[in-house]
Amino acid sequence: MAAIHHRPAVRALGAALRGLSPHAFFIEREVAGLAEIVRPGDVCLDAGAEYGLYTFTLADLAGPGGRVVAVEPLPGPAAFLRSAARALGAGNVRVLRRALAAEEGAGTLSLPVRRGLPVHGRAFLTAGAQGAGPNAEFGAERTVTTPVTTLDSLVGELGLDRLDFVKADVEGAELAVLDGGRQTLRTHRPALLLEIEDRHLAKYGARAADVAERLAELGYRMRVRVGRTWRPADRVREGHRNYLFTAEPRD
């Protein structure tokens, strides 16, 4: 009964986040555009969920008939997400403390520190990385161990017979996530919202164009949020971090 009683809080938070998105610097503008992509009943995955700005927007849009899996490898944010989901009555949200990559196993995160405080949004998996990349600006780091899984393994573990939307903010490891989700992308054809920046990809020896080309080969088209509209994009450009990929128009 508690989840039913508090469910309006999820709707109110989701609406507030979408409304603030075009105006608040701490909410990415793409949050406002999720209502054009995610529908009631959808199954969504938020990889690199941090404190849930996307998670709870998706929970509102997917509704009680949908499902949101928040994948967050850092213990502090993961614990916050679980507590917030309970407080909001977001019964359609499940939180998993893991990272997504190309292979399963145990991983190590490099968590940068500024003035003694962790910068959670810039943590990255060290496997395959050559140095700190742009995180060298912080000058200090902590290491955090985390379980690592693949998108394909996670879909199988959770018994998902559909996956409609994936948001991934993985600080340059986008190709690894795609490598670990080949079967899922072929079978379920989810829409993808990916953060793509050359400065983060470079530490893994990759380029933004590599991600766009990989998805184009899989039949995905790329769009970017401009103002209040999703517009077609032919390449990754300066000034935009997040790109929406869709396999085909959804009825």
Side-chain angles (χ1 to χ4, degrees):
M1 295 299 293
I4 295 173
H5 177 72
H6 286 111
R7 194 168 293 145
V10 180
R11 294 198 297 269
L13 178 58
L17 290 170
R18 294 196 305 278
L20 287 170
S21 171
H23 313 290
F25 74 91
F26 58 91
I27 305 176
E28 293 179 337
R29 58 193 169 199
E30 290 79 13
V31 167
L34 293 177
E36 300 170 43
I37 310 300
V38 177
R39 299 176 179 178
D42 275 357
V43 177
C44 307
L45 188 147
D46 183 3
E50 199 177 3
Y51 290 106
L53 296 180
Y54 279 92
T55 297
F56 295 115
T57 303
L58 294 171
D60 169 36
L61 294 172
R67 189 172 180 182
V68 180
V69 180
V71 180
E72 171 52 52
L74 292 168
F80 172 87
L81 284 169
R82 291 191 181 101
S83 296
R86 286 194 297 268
L88 291 166
N92 61 348
V93 171
R94 180 173 179 180
V95 180
L96 299 176
R97 193 178 87 78
R98 304 185 198 173
L100 288 184
E103 298 179 351
E104 293 185 276
T108 300
L109 292 163
S110 172
L111 175 61
V113 175
R114 176 193 285 133
R115 300 187 184 92
L117 298 175
V119 185
H120 295 114
R122 293 281 291 273
F124 67 90
L125 278 172
T126 59
Q130 302 170 3
N135 281 11
E137 68 180 279
F138 296 106
E141 67 169 347
R142 300 175 188 167
T143 57
V144 180
T145 57
T146 182
V148 179
T149 191
T150 69
L151 180 57
D152 286 344
S153 294
L154 192 59
V155 168
E157 175 190 336
L158 297 175
L160 301 182
D161 57 9
R162 62 185 286 186
L163 182 61
D164 302 288
F165 178 83
V166 175
K167 168 258 174 181
D169 182 352
V170 292
E171 300 302 294
E174 289 77 22
L175 284 174
V177 172
L178 298 180
D179 285 342
R182 289 189 181 96
Q183 184 61 41
T184 296
L185 297 180
R186 285 194 298 265
T187 302
H188 298 295
R189 311 297 279 165
L192 307 169
L193 182 63
L194 305 179
E195 182 186 69
I196 306 176
E197 292 188 89
D198 272 317
R199 62 178 184 147
H200 295 303
L201 284 154
K203 66 179 176 282
Y204 294 103
R207 304 169 303 143
D210 297 331
V211 180
E213 289 168 7
R214 174 79 62 84
L215 287 166
E217 291 169 358
L218 292 171
Y220 278 81
R221 63 181 186 179
M222 182 167 65
R223 287 185 280 170
V224 66
R225 190 77 177 171
V226 179
R228 297 178 182 271
T229 305
W230 292 107
R231 295 187 180 177
D234 59 354
R235 58 187 174 88
V236 175
R237 301 173 182 271
E238 291 291 330
H240 296 283
R241 292 189 302 171
N242 299 312
Y243 293 82
L244 175 68
F245 296 86
T246 51
E248 57 187 20
R250 299 176 63 190
D251 296 330

